[in-house]
Amino acid sequence: AGTGKSSLPAWYAAKLGRPFFRVSFDRSTEPEDLIGGMEPDGKGGMHWRDGVLAQAIRQAGAVILLDEPTFARPTALAMLQTLLDGGRHLLARATGERIDCAPGVMFVCADNTSGTGDETGQYSGTSGMNRAFLDRMAARVFVGYMERAKEKAVLAARAGLPEPVASLLVGFASRTRSAARNGDMAHALGFRR
């Protein structure tokens, strides 16, 4: 946690001038939240409203972050399998529309548990993900903490801190990370904290 997993795809999209969408998950996430659904049009009828994911995949070159999917219920994720494999589409059941991915759409999945859920209590509320979903990820990248010198420079610049203060904070954070690795501490300090 706090290593920049969610910031990395946003930075990548900004660097390349591509649209960026963040799709966050929780236990209340429904397929309709992602795909969309029918809603009143204000004139006594109904019309289709794209969900966040349908809206995102219609954008050519979009970078779509699927953020913390282990918080979602498995049924909310199952509908993503066709989207993430060779099919690259969603099906709007209410209208029968097939919503294809625009050219160049890229999916990035960021999760603190690598999709396996957590039994330690550090990431309470997460669940292991279906192997079929995990197999649709083309590559896995571990995002670790920055080197101390780089973290110190980024912290000083971002927070407007004098270098000696940033150095003390990064030194303390590094000690918590060592303690967490050794099992002497439950949570290490990440850059965000």
Side-chain angles (χ1 to χ4, degrees):
T3 59
K5 294 179 304 301
S6 299
S7 300
L8 187 60
W11 172 85
Y12 173 81
K15 188 87 169 156
L16 297 179
R18 295 172 68 168
F20 175 74
F21 295 87
R22 183 177 185 166
V23 180
S24 298
F25 294 91
D26 61 40
R27 289 284 177 220
S28 67
T29 302
E30 295 288 343
E32 293 77 22
D33 298 325
L34 304 173
I35 300 172
M38 301 301 287
E39 66 180 17
D41 64 6
K43 301 173 188 166
M46 302 290 279
H47 73 269
W48 176 261
R49 175 202 46 83
D50 273 351
V52 64
L53 196 52
Q55 180 185 3
I57 69 171
R58 293 181 194 270
Q59 302 293 312
V63 176
I64 302 169
L65 170 61
L66 304 176
D67 201 17
E68 304 287 355
T70 54
F71 281 114
R73 291 183 337 278
T75 54
L77 295 178
M79 48 74 58
L80 295 177
Q81 291 183 14
T82 303
L83 178 63
L84 297 174
D85 68 11
R88 307 252 321 153
H89 71 274
L90 292 171
L91 181 61
R93 291 188 181 145
T95 64
E97 179 187 6
R98 176 185 157 129
I99 305 168
D100 290 311
C101 275
V105 170
M106 174 185 191
F107 294 95
V108 178
C109 189
D111 186 75
N112 284 318
T113 73
S114 298
T116 60
D118 174 57
E119 294 179 9
T120 68
Q122 290 187 29
Y123 302 106
S124 180
T126 61
S127 300
M129 293 168 51
N130 181 304
R131 175 56 50 195
F133 183 87
L134 290 174
D135 286 348
R136 282 164 170 78
M137 302 301 128
R140 289 181 188 234
V141 176
F142 175 77
V143 181
Y145 297 109
M146 291 181 255
E147 298 171 7
R148 285 177 75 159
K150 187 170 201 153
E151 187 173 22
K152 181 173 57 174
V154 170
L155 181 61
R158 194 163 186 192
L161 296 173
E163 187 275 333
V165 174
S167 184
L168 283 171
L169 290 171
V170 170
F172 178 72
S174 294
R175 288 178 39 193
T176 69
R177 294 166 191 166
S178 293
R181 271 193 306 277
N182 295 335
D184 298 329
M185 184 176 220
H187 299 285
L189 287 179
F191 187 78
R192 183 174 51 234
R193 291 176 74 197

